[in-house]
Amino acid sequence: MAGLDIFLQNIANGVLMGGVYALIGIGLTLVFGVMRTINFAHGDFVVLGMYSAVLFNALLGWDPYLSLVLAMPIGFFAGVIVERFILSRVIDAPPESALLATLGISLIIGNAILLTFGGEPRSVQVSYASSTFSIAGVNLSMVLLLAGIATVIMIAALYALLNRTEVGRAIRGTAENRLGAELVGIDTRRIHSIVFGLGVMLAVMAGVTLIPLLFATPTNTGAVFTLKAFVVTVLGGLGNVGAAIAGGILLGVVEVLGASYFMSEYREAYGLIAFLLILLFRPEGLFGRTVKRV
Amino acid sequence: MRIAIAAALAATLCAVGAPAQAQVEVGVINSLSGNFAAFGERYRTGLQVALDEINASGGIKGQQLTLTIQDDRSEAKSALAAAESFASKGVPLVIGSYASSITGPLAQFLTRQKVPMIVLGSADDSITKPGSPWVFRAKHNSTIVGKAYFDYFDHLKTTKKDVPLETVAMLYGNGAWPTSLAKEGKRLASERGYKVVGDQSYDQGVTDFRPILNRFRGANPDILYIVSYAEDGVAITRQMREVGLNAKVIAIDTSAALPSFVQQVGKSADYVATAVSWSQDVKYPGAQELYERLKAKAGGEPSFYEAEGYLALMVAADALRRADPKSRDSVREALAATDITTPVTTVNFKSADGFQGQNPIRSLILQIQDGKHVTVFPDDLAAKQAQHPTPEWSTR
Amino acid sequence: MTKHLIGLGVLLAVGVAYPAIFPNNLTIAISVLLFAGWATSWDLLGGWNGQVSLGHASFVGLGAYFVAIGQSQFGLAPWWTMAMAAAVAAVLAYFWGWLTFSLRGPYFSLSTIAVAEILRLVAINEEWLTGGATGVFIATLPEPFGVDLFSRTAQFYMALAFATVVIATVIVISRARFGYQLRAVREDEDSAMAAGIDPTATKLKAFMLSAALTSIGGGIYGIVLAFIEPHVIFALLLSVQIALTAIIGGRGTIWGPAVGALVLIGAGEMFRTTFAEANMLIYGILILVVVLFVPRGIVGELARRHIRRLYAKRAQG
């Protein structure tokens, strides 16, 4: 294969991996944008979604995508409950309290899964796991392509929710200025519950969608996802969920090109370096509007 | 699971509650929570099968053998606290643990406390090289496993002369075991005249290996030598097919040995080779029967991890029978003089090549044939012939 | 002030007697003391100065590696390598802070994770520097005045000295001009600047001191383990545990981080030996309970109630 072909192939793979990262990060972008708390449990909620797909697949023989029907509402209400009974109580305490609370939640989720499912990695085997789709000499992985489509649909839906509905406007208002939102009559406590519910729902959806592609382990995987989600959030920027796609794609392309043409053992570092550079030189993110230096 | 917790609780309570009357207590440090819990579960199954067998056949000189299992939360500081409590409690020996980051500090501590130790899971060379007079390992290490793979490659090369095997590409995680096995592989490759055309490691991430596999495709290696943990190996195999990376021999250590590998990879798992310390179809007396017992206890398909747990306790029991369980010196001497045959392997701790307290166990090479793990090497232990070479993906 | 010095005296008295009373529970006590020292060092930056770092494992790893490599490759005694580690940690913290102190709040915390993760990868991959992923053994150690540094008793006293020195440092700083600067920057950087305090310089000093102290504890941890692997010692999990310990105990208080270490390590050990596989689950629940019912940390909450009582008394009187 000529150099250019390989390069295009790598770019395509990077963009598709970016879709995966965006999917993992989208829920966190929303929650972080509105609540400004470091949610250490985000990755664990993604893993929880993966296990729900595994469970429905094992018990009822459902295709992972079918289990979204049940997993989405459960995820939303789980998020609302966690926010109501835990996070809302610490929102006015020093910010580290919320961080700590999510750490506790993360430990509880991971270990509850460990006790229920055991420690072996799980996934759902689909017939198209190694299939590819060819365009102009570039091979696209079928599972990655499906994940990419799911990302676009989910982000489009979230975009519509935020920009076309009353609740969406309230969420954006709360994100930009909580006090101001209160003054114009928005119940920001309720908005926080809804936002966290949506965040968990998006995490669970990401987990379900990615199970044909990725693997779930009770305690390891969650931390990896959380870290990627933060990178996506910071790269893309806040205040604009579409930016999560940009952040994800940037992360995917940087990682894949780094691993393809430089040292592959530093793959996870390339994204982090990009993350630091963006934080330092363009703190509002690639497409965000909120300035992070406050 | 609740039963298992209750059993573990009961075991702990019994060990604390009942004074040492007519029983011999062995301390076990195992990873039951945290990152290595998947392995800890398997080891515990094997230990329990061995415990039942030992007590059914009269225990230790007529006394019941009991196990006190302490969780190390997959971290060294908890393991060391557990080791200290065992050392002060007067157990004749300690068995533990899985990860080398835990087992290394354990070995150092127990050596200084003069407590005999049998390694449960860690396979890192450094535990028994230079080792210590107090540390014993019945299972394999990276030198033994690396050699098994290259003996297998040599064997394939001599049996099928028309299939050239000259180049090898290596892909491995950045953990202690994958790194040391890769290092041993590189040493053996240059010693035996293989050319290393790819050498890439990776950190734990989201299991995307396409960039590395695409790089390898350009180098067109005859042999793929891959060392990966569970899910990484599954993803690598799926993506190898996806990007069309062909090789005549595909060896995937650790991951491909697990029963779940075949389930999760499906047909693409065929032809993959992997080294293990034990397999159900190996031609050792009692192996098949051990498999049945492990399977019954595990409630699922057992792997070589269960067998290694079983092996560790059988070695302990054998030494305790020949020693005075009250004297750690005598237990240590008995362990050093070990010479037994078990359904897992033969065990003797003759030190050689700079190793100490290391059993020169023979590693087996399994190949996945029609969705089943089959022992294919070494010849005298093999159940079937290896299928070689691996056909190209486009023809499968 | 006298109150805190008495506290320090009690710690030393209990500490000196401990090995004789509990000769078989030294490992756990060493863990408590090391975490007390680390969390107190962390608190200099995280609590007193309000900059929550989630990368302190880097300094633990730095200290442990200096001791291990210094001993095994160059035959350098641990006291020299610990001093070197402290100096290098301070320099590293200077550059690290210079790079990231323009960020505030959660953004600073996130940037520390990123830097620490990159350092972890360097420690794993650069074999010429660290010995690589397979780790380093400490096989021999010098015997100053005939003391075997491998004995748990000797290690206990090292950890005790470490924790004591760190807490004493914080006691002194809390009353010094520097301590007030730290708090002023934490409360409001702009007002602090208006009062003639350079926020960045203050934060840099706090970070450097915090890093240097942490790395000394890391050196002791290296000796205790006698075998270190980069995955474990540079892990994000360890960074998080250090921050957790300080926050649970009470940020910005002198004794909070030490109390946090006692509670978390003690509870962790108790759960480990009684609840088998479920122990980490219960540990998670404990963290949640503390966050919900004592949001300012154990000592922080006690101090707040104490102050409220004082005000109430004054109001009545």
Side-chain angles (χ1 to χ4, degrees):
Chain A
M1 219 162 35
L4 183 66
D5 282 359
I6 297 180
F7 183 71
L8 288 177
Q9 176 73 57
N10 285 328
I11 292 282
N13 284 345
V15 170
L16 287 177
M17 278 313 292
V20 172
Y21 289 141
L23 199 54
I24 293 172
I26 177 74
L28 191 78
T29 301
L30 182 68
V31 170
F32 194 64
V34 177
M35 299 170 74
R36 297 297 154 89
T37 50
I38 297 186
N39 176 11
F40 264 108
H42 179 77
D44 297 278
F45 285 116
V46 176
V47 172
L48 204 58
M50 295 177 130
Y51 275 95
S52 75
V54 169
L55 186 69
F56 290 134
N57 182 271
L59 287 183
L60 310 167
W62 285 10
D63 184 272
Y65 293 105
L66 186 60
S67 49
L68 276 177
V69 183
L70 265 179
M72 278 169 55
I74 295 175
F76 181 77
F77 286 112
V80 170
I81 288 168
V82 166
E83 205 283 332
R84 267 284 144 85
F85 290 98
I86 299 169
L87 295 181
S88 67
R89 288 161 181 250
V90 294
I91 196 90
D92 293 320
E96 295 79 37
S97 300
L99 181 152
L100 215 61
T102 59
L103 211 61
I105 296 167
S106 157
L107 273 173
I108 292 171
I109 295 176
N111 285 286
I113 293 174
L114 177 67
L115 289 177
T116 324
F117 289 88
E120 298 263 314
R122 298 294 189 97
S123 79
V124 175
Q125 157 82 341
V126 291
S127 54
Y128 47 89
S130 297
S131 309
T132 54
F133 180 84
S134 266
I135 303 177
V138 172
N139 291 321
L140 305 177
S141 154
M142 196 62 100
V143 277
L144 279 181
L145 208 56
L146 286 176
I149 294 169
T151 308
V152 172
I153 293 175
M154 246 179 251
I155 287 176
L158 187 62
Y159 187 82
L161 177 82
L162 288 181
N163 288 288
R164 302 262 181 277
T165 65
E166 198 57 42
V167 152
R169 269 189 283 280
I171 290 175
R172 285 187 296 140
T174 311
E176 275 183 22
N177 188 338
R178 188 176 158 205
L179 191 63
E182 292 261 4
L183 288 175
V184 298
I186 295 171
D187 179 358
T188 57
R189 288 189 164 258
R190 192 173 137 258
I191 293 298
H192 278 177
S193 293
I194 292 174
V195 164
F196 201 78
L198 283 174
V200 172
M201 186 179 88
L202 289 166
V204 168
M205 285 165 77
V208 171
T209 314
L210 292 173
I211 194 70
L213 173 71
L214 301 182
F215 301 83
T217 59
T219 51
N220 302 357
T221 324
V224 173
F225 290 170
T226 303
L227 197 57
K228 296 286 180 205
F230 276 121
V231 177
V232 167
T233 300
V234 170
L235 287 184
L238 305 174
N240 179 355
V241 285
I245 291 200
I249 288 177
L250 181 65
L251 176 62
V253 170
V254 165
E255 277 194 7
V256 168
L257 289 187
S260 301
Y261 296 103
F262 302 103
M263 294 172 286
S264 65
E265 65 266 35
Y266 279 108
R267 172 180 177 145
E268 312 305 316
Y270 300 131
L272 294 172
I273 292 168
F275 167 91
L276 280 175
L277 291 177
I278 292 276
L279 262 185
L280 295 171
F281 297 111
R282 202 180 148 76
E284 63 275 25
L286 282 181
F287 298 94
R289 291 187 307 255
T290 327
V291 176
K292 288 167 195 166
R293 294 187 209 256
V294 181
Chain B
M1 188 45 74
R2 198 173 296 155
I3 299 166
I5 298 170
L9 262 177
T12 324
L13 291 179
C14 288
V16 175
Q21 43 139 350
Q23 60 180 24
V24 179
E25 180 190 345
V26 165
V28 178
I29 299 168
N30 191 15
S31 302
L32 296 173
S33 61
N35 287 349
F36 309 123
F39 303 98
E41 279 166 35
R42 292 184 177 273
Y43 282 119
R44 187 170 57 185
T45 304
L47 288 164
Q48 277 165 349
V49 167
L51 182 68
D52 293 347
E53 178 183 328
I54 292 159
N55 281 332
S57 61
I60 307 296
K61 294 188 273 199
Q63 301 185 340
Q64 278 284 106
L65 182 68
T66 61
L67 287 187
T68 304
I69 302 180
Q70 284 211 26
D71 177 22
D72 62 27
R73 305 170 105 202
S74 302
E75 62 177 30
K77 72 173 159 49
S78 295
L80 288 172
E84 187 181 337
S85 81
F86 283 139
S88 63
K89 231 166 116 187
V91 297
L93 62 86
V94 169
I95 299 175
S97 177
Y98 172 70
S100 57
S101 58
I102 300 169
T103 314
L106 264 187
Q108 296 271 43
F109 176 72
L110 291 172
T111 297
R112 286 175 213 286
Q113 298 290 317
K114 302 199 183 333
V115 180
M117 165 176 169
I118 299 174
V119 174
L120 181 58
S122 173
D124 220 64
D125 270 358
S126 57
I127 308 287
T128 47
K129 187 182 185 178
S132 104
W134 295 89
V135 177
F136 298 90
R137 176 160 61 192
K139 67 168 285 184
H140 56 226
N141 57 38
S142 28
T143 304
I144 293 172
V145 173
K147 186 171 173 300
Y149 279 115
F150 278 82
D151 285 350
Y152 174 64
F153 302 152
D154 285 349
H155 166 81
L156 294 177
K157 205 152 94 171
T158 46
T159 45
K160 277 232 173 100
K161 289 206 168 57
D162 52 323
V163 183
L165 293 181
E166 274 149 19
T167 55
V168 49
M170 299 191 183
L171 168 59
Y172 47 97
N174 64 9
W177 168 252
T179 310
S180 65
L181 191 52
K183 224 188 263 177
E184 184 61 17
K186 277 176 259 183
R187 196 185 64 76
L188 285 166
S190 74
E191 192 180 289
R192 301 191 183 188
Y194 294 89
K195 193 170 163 231
V196 179
V197 294
D199 174 10
Q200 302 286 337
S201 74
Y202 64 86
D203 190 36
Q204 191 189 17
V206 291
T207 58
D208 170 39
F209 301 97
R210 293 171 189 88
I212 297 176
L213 299 175
N214 273 322
R215 274 172 105 147
F216 282 0
R217 199 157 57 119
N220 198 19
D222 297 325
I223 301 170
L224 283 170
Y225 180 85
I226 297 163
V227 192
S228 288
Y229 289 115
E231 66 268 38
D232 295 343
V234 174
I236 288 170
T237 318
R238 286 180 183 171
Q239 291 167 19
M240 220 187 281
R241 176 173 207 139
E242 181 191 309
V243 306
L245 171 64
N246 292 303
K248 297 181 187 89
V249 181
I250 301 171
I252 304 180
D253 191 74
T254 310
S255 174
L258 288 171
S260 59
F261 180 80
V262 181
Q263 282 164 26
Q264 300 194 325
V265 178
K267 284 302 283 173
S268 309
D270 283 351
Y271 298 95
V272 170
T274 186
V276 293
S277 47
W278 179 82
S279 164
Q280 61 161 119
D281 65 355
V282 65
K283 287 185 186 159
Y284 290 137
Q288 186 60 36
E289 191 251 346
L290 175 64
Y291 166 77
E292 303 294 344
R293 281 190 288 151
L294 290 175
K295 190 174 174 178
K297 194 73 158 187
E301 200 62 24
S303 66
F304 71 93
Y305 292 110
E306 282 90 344
E308 287 176 357
Y310 170 87
L311 177 65
L313 192 58
M314 292 308 278
V315 170
D318 167 71
L320 288 171
R321 286 193 186 109
R322 289 181 286 109
D324 167 17
K326 300 254 180 302
S327 153
R328 286 172 178 162
D329 273 307
S330 119
V331 172
R332 191 195 70 76
E333 279 161 26
L335 274 169
T338 297
D339 189 7
I340 56 166
T341 302
T342 73
V344 181
T345 181
T346 54
V347 183
N348 67 72
F349 295 112
K350 293 203 184 73
S351 305
D353 299 331
F355 284 97
Q356 189 173 185
Q358 172 68 49
N359 180 30
I361 185 177
R362 297 179 71 191
S363 272
L364 315 172
I365 301 285
L366 309 185
Q367 189 182 40
I368 298 167
Q369 300 185 353
D370 287 324
K372 284 209 168 56
H373 285 95
V374 180
T375 307
V376 294
F377 186 78
D379 258 345
D380 58 320
L381 300 174
K384 280 187 189 165
Q385 282 285 312
Q387 292 173 347
H388 176 67
T390 306
E392 298 203 343
W393 293 110
S394 52
T395 63
R396 291 169 67 179
Chain C
M1 186 75 172
T2 29
K3 207 173 53 190
H4 294 310
L5 290 180
I6 292 169
L8 211 56
V10 171
L11 171 71
L12 272 176
V14 172
V16 168
Y18 184 91
I21 308 169
F22 301 103
N24 300 323
N25 293 296
L26 290 174
T27 307
I28 188 74
I30 292 170
S31 295
V32 170
L33 288 170
L34 286 177
F35 268 89
W38 287 330
T40 310
S41 315
W42 178 92
D43 202 40
L44 263 177
L45 181 70
W48 296 91
N49 199 207
Q51 308 298 313
V52 174
S53 150
L54 293 172
H56 262 54
S58 301
F59 304 114
V60 174
L62 191 84
Y65 263 96
F66 260 84
V67 168
I69 302 238
Q71 185 65 53
S72 63
Q73 303 215 343
F74 304 102
L76 286 171
W79 43 92
W80 297 120
T81 42
M82 275 188 221
M84 286 157 66
V88 172
V91 172
L92 176 66
Y94 179 82
F95 285 108
W96 187 331
W98 173 76
L99 195 68
T100 55
F101 272 141
S102 57
L103 301 164
R104 292 192 188 175
Y107 298 100
F108 173 74
S109 306
L110 289 176
S111 74
T112 58
I113 296 181
V115 174
E117 281 290 288
I118 292 170
L119 290 175
R120 178 181 68 87
L121 283 170
V122 170
I124 290 171
N125 290 327
E126 300 309 314
E127 203 176 332
W128 58 275
L129 187 66
T130 59
T134 44
V136 190
F137 269 102
I138 304 179
T140 55
L141 281 173
E143 296 190 355
F145 313 110
V147 177
D148 176 13
L149 293 182
F150 281 115
S151 84
R152 281 287 184 261
T153 316
Q155 292 165 352
F156 173 84
Y157 285 122
M158 283 194 275
L160 178 66
F162 167 62
T164 312
V165 167
V166 175
I167 293 172
T169 308
V170 173
I171 292 176
V172 171
I173 287 178
S174 73
R175 286 304 172 98
R177 188 183 172 80
F178 181 48
Y180 292 103
Q181 292 174 342
L182 287 178
R183 273 167 283 182
V185 170
R186 172 184 70 192
E187 295 310 328
D188 189 336
E189 288 194 20
D190 299 326
S191 320
M193 201 151 20
I197 299 168
D198 179 350
T200 311
T202 309
K203 288 194 271 187
L204 278 176
K205 274 190 237 165
F207 197 11
M208 288 166 73
L209 184 59
S210 172
L213 289 172
T214 306
S215 72
I216 293 172
I220 299 170
Y221 194 43
I223 294 175
V224 172
L225 292 178
F227 173 65
I228 50 172
E229 251 180 44
H231 303 85
V232 181
I233 203 114
F234 281 97
L236 175 58
L237 187 68
L238 180 58
S239 296
V240 169
Q241 280 171 344
I242 292 172
L244 181 75
T245 307
I247 299 173
I248 290 267
R251 275 149 294 179
T253 63
I254 287 167
W255 294 96
V259 169
L262 188 65
V263 169
L264 280 181
I265 306 272
E269 181 69 4
M270 207 178 77
F271 296 162
R272 180 182 74 80
T273 47
T274 37
F275 295 112
E277 298 99 320
N279 76 77
M280 299 282 273
L281 180 72
I282 293 162
Y283 188 75
I285 294 173
L286 171 79
I287 292 172
L288 263 193
V289 168
V290 172
V291 172
L292 287 180
F293 296 103
V294 271
R296 276 162 193 81
I298 298 163
V299 173
E301 202 68 22
L302 289 176
R304 200 169 84 104
R305 291 207 181 146
H306 180 66
I307 289 167
R308 282 191 160 187
R309 260 201 306 276
L310 284 183
Y311 276 120
K313 246 189 216 162
R314 212 177 285 170
Q316 282 165 359

